[in-house]
Amino acid sequence: MFKCMQEFFHAWSGMRQFDSLDLGEKDVVFYAEDNASWVHFEPIIKALLEKHDQGFCYLTSSIEDPILNSTDKRIKAYFIGNGMLRTALFSSLKAGVVIMTMPDLDNYYIKRSKVHSVHYAYVFHNMASTHMVFRSGAYDHYDTIFCVGPHHENEIREAEKLYDLPKKNLVKHGNSRLDSVILEASKRGKESLPSEKGKKRVLIAPSYGKNSLLEVCGIKLIHVLLGAGYSVTARPHPLTTRHNKALISEIIEKYGNDPDFSIETNVASQASLQSSHLIISDYSGAAFEFAFGLGRPALFIDVPRKVNNLKYEELKCEPFEVFIRSEIGAVVSPDDLKKIPEFVESLVLSQKSFDEKIKTLRSQNIFNVGVSGIAGAEAIIQCLNRVNAEQAKGE
């Protein structure tokens, strides 16, 4: 109770401090739902500071967000909590451009400002399509969308035509997390390559939900992999760790003492990603980061699709997370788990030829590989210039 009260007053103080700023000090505002948002904002922020010397405000719902301790005077960071104070702040927000990774703006608690003409920009936190995994209308109330690749452009334009929506400003952005995986691999050099000697390392990185591979067949999959002599790391989705503690406890109870098994709950870490020969997933974005970032194959368990929009088939666009799976690896039925070791051996053996294929696929499907931060920062400056020009016109 005392901790909750402390956080409430901390959020109240943060909101008051932010509200007291002049409008010119709130030209650019980032909002982070949690610590994980930083991964997607960092390259953009770095480019904003280094190439444009553009200061900004950073609102965060995580009291442990490291940016709250920043000493850079160009960064004004405030904790605003995630309850009614946050709701009130957003409904009366006065700012220029607001950048978020949270879909469903104006559909639930987080509303567009009722008192000021704010320009809202959305940054994707994964490469998945817009219309199946996400709810209907998840992006309808954003002004600018930072697209990962051509699939986002196509889907959003098709949705605008189909549902008679206002035309959005679409930015060829890319994916910050992918860029960070590529950068980390280049820093590690040969150290990032998994050893050709000893046991092959397999990373299980599923999505979240009742149909995720961890919930459908995770325990059996781990059993098959360990039985085949592989070193296995399970990296549950953070929401699985939070909401299905019984499953996590069962996995730890069964395999926690096995020296060839480990469980990784810090999804911001790239340790297991960088050191694994192969990733096994369902529809998780981690598999695409692994394949496109490291040039290594992925194996997908064909569990039921993660559908949060029952109308997604109205858009005649096959979801990226569906069609790309067979291009970057192989797809296996959950009824055929005994065949998994055969697929692991075959895919790892095809590593060299796969590496060339993935570079072509990456250039075709992802914008600005390696430089998405620069593209994102430039887009923010352009949005800000547009906002300032419109305000000057209205004066």
Side-chain angles (χ1 to χ4, degrees), residues 245-260:
K245 295 179 180 178
L247 175 61
I248 303 302
S249 296
E250 185 178 359
I251 291 172
I252 292 172
E253 184 179 340
K254 283 182 176 291
Y255 305 111
N257 293 326
D258 192 314
D260 288 324

Side-chain angles (χ1 to χ4, degrees), residues 198-202 220-232 258 260 280 337-345:
K199 294 179 182 249
K200 292 183 178 68
R201 299 183 61 83
V202 176
K220 186 176 179 181
L221 174 62
I222 295 169
H223 176 77
V224 169
L225 290 168
L226 290 174
Y230 300 120
S231 175
V232 180
D258 192 314
D260 288 324
I280 298 181
L337 294 186
K338 289 182 180 179
K339 297 180 181 177
I340 292 289
E342 296 175 29
F343 280 95
V344 172
E345 294 301 318

